């Protein structure tokens, strides 16, 4: 598998980032079990001149942790990339592998937690520990004025790195939060397999998030 490089390489954690012992242990075990997988902090994917930043939660085991590209190779990818393509924010063909022809336009995806957490659940401490990397990435995207947070944990990290205040900015699907410097955060339910299968997030609900983001495009 050819792995993709980051569009904002100076902001990425080192491949062997040691900060979260539980995630490091999992990463090292998977490197032995699946040596052809990515098994490292997952890089951002998309356009370094993006006006829209999508903040995901963390890599999935058989998705980004395997392929090295956010939302690539697991059940969340088709809905996300189809939706982006429907709004002209993505082009090419998504083939669930990092060397397909998919490209993002005006959009970049960054995760709140860069390494695979067990059960897809980072602890609050792990989320906090990884936050400086997310903050550095948002700061390295001077044109990003609109952000979409996928799920509650991404929402909390996004509010903190964008300078907002959590008690005021409560998570709800399609909720909009204006940050002190004018950047806007829109919340969405995460496009996980569970949320799709239970109907918590329908394609129409997800499309509404990006339709609103486009209305706010600077
Ligand atoms: S989750 Fe972030 S801070 Fe923790 S080990 Fe991975 S890259 Fe480092």
């Amino acid at each position: 598998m050819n792995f993709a490089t980051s569009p904002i390489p100076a902001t990425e954690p080192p491949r062997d980032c040691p900060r979260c012992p539980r995630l490091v242990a999992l990463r090292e075990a998977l490197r032995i079990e699946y040596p052809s997988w990515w098994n490292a902090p997952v890089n951002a994917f998309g356009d370094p001149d993006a006006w829209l930043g999508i903040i995901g939660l963390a890599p999935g085991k058989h998705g980004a942790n395997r392929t090295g590209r956010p939302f690539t190779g697991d059940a969340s990818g088709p809905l996300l990339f189809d939706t982006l393509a429907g709004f002209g924010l993505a082009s090419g063909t998504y083939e669930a592998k990092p060397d397909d022809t998919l490209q993002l336009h005006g959009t970049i995806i960054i995760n709140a937690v860069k390494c695979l957490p067990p059960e897809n659940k980072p602890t609050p401490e792990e989320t906090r520990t990884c936050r400086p990397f997310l903050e550095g990435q948002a700061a390295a995207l001077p044109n990003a004025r609109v952000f979409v947070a996928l799920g509650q944990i991404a929402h909390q990290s996004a509010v903190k790195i964008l300078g907002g205040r959590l008690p005021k900015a409560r998570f709800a699907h399609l909720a909009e939060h204006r940050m002190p410097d004018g950047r806007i955060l829109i919340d969405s339910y995460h496009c996980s397999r569970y949320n799709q299968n239970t109907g918590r997030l329908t394609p129409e609900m997800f499309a509404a998030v990006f339709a609103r983001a486009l209305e706010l495009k600077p």
Side-chain angles (χ1 to χ4, degrees):
M1 190 144 41
N2 292 320
F3 295 112
T5 54
S6 172
I8 43 175
T11 69
E12 303 289 359
R15 192 171 164 81
D16 294 316
C17 179
R19 295 190 191 184
C20 304
R22 192 179 74 123
L23 308 192
V24 171
L26 178 58
R27 177 206 297 160
E28 288 180 350
L30 289 172
R31 283 180 181 177
I32 293 168
E33 196 174 353
Y34 301 103
S36 65
W37 288 13
W38 175 256
N39 292 324
V42 170
N43 291 334
F45 169 52
D47 183 349
D49 298 320
W51 62 270
L52 174 64
I54 300 171
I55 302 182
L57 169 57
K61 181 176 176 184
H62 295 92
N65 180 68
R66 178 174 62 86
T67 63
R69 195 175 72 180
F71 294 95
T72 298
D74 61 19
S76 55
L79 176 58
L80 175 61
F81 296 126
D82 281 357
T83 304
L84 294 179
F87 288 100
L89 298 169
S91 66
T93 304
Y94 170 68
E95 294 178 78
K97 54 184 188 176
D99 52 359
D100 60 20
T101 58
L102 180 71
Q103 286 188 304
L104 304 189
H105 307 291
T107 304
I108 193 165
I109 302 171
I110 48 183
N111 278 339
V113 176
K114 309 297 182 193
C115 294
L116 169 70
E119 316 279 311
N120 292 327
K121 286 190 188 125
T123 64
E125 187 182 350
E126 289 159 355
T127 307
R128 220 172 14 251
T129 302
C130 207
R131 197 169 291 140
F133 292 114
L134 180 67
E135 188 162 20
Q137 294 189 313
L141 298 168
N143 300 323
R145 304 302 296 166
V146 182
F147 287 81
V148 168
L150 300 179
Q152 178 102 244
I153 293 174
H155 159 86
Q156 289 171 351
S157 270
V159 170
K160 288 187 176 166
I161 64 151
L162 296 175
R165 291 185 49 210
L166 272 177
K168 280 177 67 180
R170 287 178 186 272
F171 176 84
H173 187 74
L174 268 177
E176 249 172 73
H177 312 283
R178 186 170 287 274
M179 298 296 144
D181 65 358
R183 289 181 290 182
I184 295 172
L185 175 66
I186 308 172
D187 294 336
S188 172
Y189 289 134
H190 194 282
C191 49
S192 64
R193 180 198 303 269
Y194 179 83
N195 282 347
Q196 292 184 53
N197 287 350
T198 57
R200 185 170 213 211
L201 181 69
T202 64
E204 294 73 24
M205 289 168 69
F206 203 43
V209 171
F210 293 94
R212 180 60 184 144
L214 275 162
E215 287 174 0
L216 296 167
K217 181 180 175 183

